[in-house]
Amino acid sequence: MEQVLGNRQRGLIFVISAPAGTGKTTLVRMLSQEFSCVVESISYTTRPPRATEINGRDYFFVTQAEFQRKIAADDFLEYAQVFGEYYGTSKAYVEETISQGKHIVLVIDTQGALQLMGFLEATFIFISPPDLMELKSRLHRRRSESEEVIDRRLSWAEKEMELAKRYDYHIVNKNLDIAYQVLRAILIAEEHTNFEEKC
C-alpha cells in the first residue's frame, strides 16, 4: 500500500547541519516519530555523554583510541573534529539502513557535510536560528555548558551559517511547528522526485 513516505525499495540519504541549539535533534526525532521509515543516523563520538544522553541512542561513545582505529579501518563515511572531539558516521550503518528501504538522516557538522558534497547522492539541508541572539538564549536555556563553551559555539555558528548557501535547502527555525512542516515537506518531495526511476 502506498504511503506518504516509505515507498522505495532503497532509501534516501538526507544530511542536516545546524548550529548547536537550533533544534535539529528535536526536528529529526519528530520525523522519526511520525514516519517509521525515517531513521536518524547515530554518530560515533569521543566526547563524554551529557546527563540525559544514552549510548547507542544519542551517540556511540568511544575512546580516542577506538575512534582512531575506525579511521584506520576506513569505517567512516565522514568524520570531523569539533571543539577538540571527534564525530563520525558509520558507512555500514548508513548502507544497512537504506538497503532496507528506510530513509536515513545524517545530523552532522558542516565540516562533515562539505566532505560529502559532490560524491554522495544525498539531499543537504541547513537549519539556522532566527539570529545569533536567539541562539545564545537557547544555549543558555539548555544549562549544559559553560559561558566559555557557549561563546565558542556562537562564534562557530556564525561561520557555519555562512555555509548555508552550499546546501540544497535552508530552513530558519523561528517556529518549531512551521520548521517541522517545511522539513517534512522536503522529505516527501524528495521521495517522489523521479520516483519511477529510483524505486
Side-chain angles (χ1 to χ4, degrees):
M1 187 176 74
E2 188 176 2
Q3 309 164 82
V4 174
L5 270 180
N7 304 290
R8 291 179 182 265
Q9 291 178 0
R10 186 171 175 82
L12 300 176
I13 300 172
F14 295 88
V15 176
I16 292 180
S17 300
T22 303
K24 58 185 180 293
T25 303
T26 300
L27 287 164
V28 173
R29 296 229 166 120
M30 289 168 74
L31 275 174
S32 62
Q33 285 165 11
E34 181 176 0
F35 300 106
S36 60
C37 64
V38 176
V39 175
E40 180 183 356
S41 177
I42 303 172
S43 296
Y44 283 81
T45 185
T46 58
R47 79 157 172 79
R50 297 191 181 109
T52 58
E53 290 177 329
I54 297 172
N55 187 47
R57 184 196 72 181
D58 299 286
Y59 289 94
F60 293 114
F61 296 99
V62 296
T63 63
Q64 291 271 358
E66 287 175 284
F67 201 98
Q68 291 297 333
R69 281 196 292 272
K70 287 184 170 296
I71 292 174
D74 197 29
D75 285 348
F76 293 124
L77 190 62
E78 59 77 34
Y79 68 91
Q81 190 175 23
V82 184
F83 301 123
E85 302 291 356
Y86 282 99
Y87 296 81
T89 302
S90 164
K91 285 181 182 177
Y93 188 92
V94 171
E95 178 56 36
E96 181 184 350
T97 301
I98 62 175
S99 67
Q100 295 170 357
K102 294 179 181 290
H103 302 315
I104 191 162
V105 181
L106 279 55
V107 181
I108 59 177
D109 179 82
T110 49
Q111 293 179 75
L114 292 174
Q115 289 175 38
L116 299 178
M117 289 179 185
F119 88 87
L120 181 72
E121 188 175 339
T123 301
F124 293 83
I125 305 165
F126 192 89
I127 301 173
S128 65
D131 54 55
L132 289 174
M133 287 302 295
E134 172 61 23
L135 182 60
K136 185 174 184 176
S137 176
R138 291 179 187 181
L139 289 171
H140 276 294
R141 286 199 295 271
R142 292 203 313 194
R143 296 181 179 178
S144 61
E145 292 154 335
S146 68
E147 193 68 36
E148 182 186 353
V149 171
I150 288 174
D151 287 342
R152 281 167 55 204
R153 287 197 180 279
L154 288 170
S155 177
W156 181 247
E158 197 167 7
K159 294 183 178 72
E160 286 186 304
M161 287 162 67
E162 291 172 4
L163 297 170
K165 59 183 176 290
R166 302 279 300 273
Y167 288 67
D168 299 313
Y169 297 95
H170 182 196
I171 302 170
V172 178
N173 185 12
K174 187 174 183 179
N175 176 290
L176 185 66
D177 291 333
I178 292 173
Y180 177 65
Q181 290 305 318
V182 175
L183 180 59
R184 182 182 188 273
I186 290 169
L187 267 72
I188 293 168
E190 288 295 327
E191 175 169 303
H192 293 270
T193 299
N194 299 321
F195 180 81
E196 294 81 4
E197 297 175 18
K198 296 181 181 178
C199 68

